[in-house]
Amino acid sequence: MKPDQHPAADLAQGFVEHALGWARAAGAPAESLAALETAALRLALATADGHVCVALDAIGDDEPAERLRDRLLASGVVGRPGASAPCPLVLDRADRLYLRRHFEWERRLAAALVRRMTPAPADGAEARAAALLARLFPPRAADDARPDWQKLAAALALDNRLTVVSGGPGTGKTTTVAALLACLLALRPEARVALAAPTGKAAARMLDALRARAGALPAELQARLPQTSYTLHRLLGVTSQPGRFRHHAGNPLAVDVLVVDEASMLDLALATRLLDALPPEARVILLGDKDQLAAVEAGAVFAELSADPSLPPARIQQLAALTGIPAERIAPPPPRAATPLAGAVVWFSESHRFAAGSGIGRLAAGINAGAGEETLAWLREGADGSVAWLDDPGHAPSEAVWARIEAGYAPYLAALRAYRDDPAPVFEAFERFRLLCAVHESPRGLEAVNARLSRELRAALAHPQDPGSRSPWYPGRPVIVLRNDYLLRLFNGDVGICLPDAAGTLRVVFPSDGGGWRAIAPVRLPRHDSAWAMTVHKSQGSEFASVLMLLPATPLRVMTRELLYTGVTRAAREVVVAGSAAVFTAACDNPTRRDSGLVARMGDIADGRS
């Protein structure tokens, strides 16, 4: 894509003009201005695409990096780290060019992570911890030689101030956390534990899942588990100043243990502020899926943090003693990249929701492996009823696709017709099926399909309390919140359903924390949209019984391997993929790449180089 065709081209050009103005004011020579114009444009477009930095080699075309470096440093706008006079742009030792705020965030995050690699203070309760782990993680069958990675992760987190657990859907992350918290609270009953996630829905699902998994725990431990979960913004304390929070290094959170779910959604800025706000001795446990979509904003923090599941030999011996698993069986997979976080990272690969040979498991594995042609050929065979391919290469969805979508929502319409006063059956029916889109615009995008479904499903329902076309509100309209409203306790990603109250007045009903329901007048809602369809990004942290994923008409940059994987793994029982073969295979061949220096920055700090 040419720079002037980029969606962020206007904003990027505005930044370039500012940079050139600063350079001219500093008396930059003409050759520096020319170099700066090119570099500032490339950097602005790269950050709009989620990169944290851009390498000089990717800027200079045929110009040697050394000459480009000299010209940029002479501009008065580009400086080295630690320079006495800070510049708007930073060029590090490895010739990575940053916006200063991204460089400072990356350096702060790297330092905070490396500091947390020192073990938590020993409490002398190793024997008791081993007994608790043995009780909470029963031994595997005698003929099963596989190590119990859930037990190993819990044991690791008992000793670490930082633990990163990556696993796909159904691999037992929440089960592990329930057992881990039970161990920690048994050893330290006074420990203050907080649960958080980037979105309200993910936070609520984490709390629900933890309660469900905690049923097997002793009653006294169940009573000590957290009863509330938070969005990260709510946990940190939003203020009236954008990007500022009440909790930071000078006013840390009052927690001893923080568990963050869906951490793959963390961007660089939020991850930095979260680590800044943690007390030095607090434990933090990050749960996520390294193969999912990265954050919308700059950075792919979780993928970088979870890149190295290696375990040093001494740590393996400690884990063997604590878990009773023979040391020779504790063999982690090879790392994607060596990082200073080795010894704090565990990958879960054994799914308890669907086996690797099942339809969804096999589809997800094929996508992750980049095996587009082979996976599509298998899909077309139709050998597994839990997955299906609808060949649909048209500019707009075919009538066969619309029929499949409408059939997916038929149980929801039936629940609406049967609705009296209890929203639970309506919400349960709505969560059984969801249409996921990869893009917002185009006839196959979110806006177009939501508009058609609103018309057709509203007409099919023909609810007697529908006020008619003069109002956008009607019984059964699902909506998704697009902006946080802390007064109403509504958060980006929350989903509600429009339902009539006892007097026939339409209200938007949302699940309430701790159970029950909240009904809010439509006029009071923050920015929102209909939610018959969702983007894959908005579906992160959700699970539906069945999913239909609608691919765009042509291959696009945003149609990546991670987006495809995230979409199909939102389904628990059945997934249908509708699109063209070219788009599917191109997505499998298009892994997300986010340029960053976080791993290198951690290495520098660990080696004493700041």
Side-chain angles (χ1 to χ4, degrees), residues 166-171 173-174 198-199 201-203 205-206 261-265 287-294 302 351 353-354 359-361 363-365 367-368 386-387 409 430-438 480 493 533-550 561-577:
S166 174
T171 51
K173 297 188 294 292
T174 308
T199 68
K201 185 157 190 176
R205 284 193 68 244
M206 180 190 191
D261 200 10
E262 298 295 340
S264 55
M265 299 168 70
L287 310 175
D289 184 346
K290 61 182 171 30
D291 298 315
Q292 272 196 41
L293 279 167
F302 189 79
S351 178
R353 182 181 303 169
F354 35 77
I360 299 174
L363 175 58
I367 292 168
N368 262 343
S386 66
V387 294
Y409 281 122
F430 186 61
E431 293 300 298
R432 289 178 202 159
F433 174 80
R434 197 58 45 88
L435 171 62
L436 300 182
C437 297
I480 183 168
M534 298 173 70
T535 62
V536 176
H537 277 94
K538 288 292 186 186
S539 75
Q540 283 184 273
S542 299
E543 176 187 313
F544 313 102
S546 299
V547 161
L548 190 147
M549 186 170 178
L550 187 64
R561 182 184 300 172
E562 289 78 8
L563 187 141
L564 191 55
Y565 167 85
T566 302
V568 302
T569 55
R570 297 310 89 204
R573 294 204 303 266
E574 179 188 44
V575 63
V576 177
V577 183

Side-chain angles (χ1 to χ4, degrees), residues 417-488:
R417 294 186 184 103
Y419 172 71
R420 295 300 175 261
D421 295 309
D422 182 8
V426 174
F427 274 83
E428 289 169 7
F430 186 61
E431 293 300 298
R432 289 178 202 159
F433 174 80
R434 197 58 45 88
L435 171 62
L436 300 182
C437 297
V439 295
H440 281 267
E441 300 175 353
S442 88
R444 303 177 71 89
L446 181 77
E447 295 174 7
V449 298
N450 258 333
R452 174 164 171 168
L453 287 171
S454 292
R455 291 192 306 271
E456 297 194 355
L457 296 181
R458 182 179 189 174
L461 182 61
H463 199 283
Q465 290 169 298
D466 187 334
S469 59
R470 68 181 184 276
S471 170
W473 294 101
Y474 53 92
R477 182 191 176 191
V479 295
I480 183 168
V481 174
L482 301 177
R483 188 178 63 201
N484 295 337
D485 187 317
Y486 291 89
L487 184 64
L488 291 176

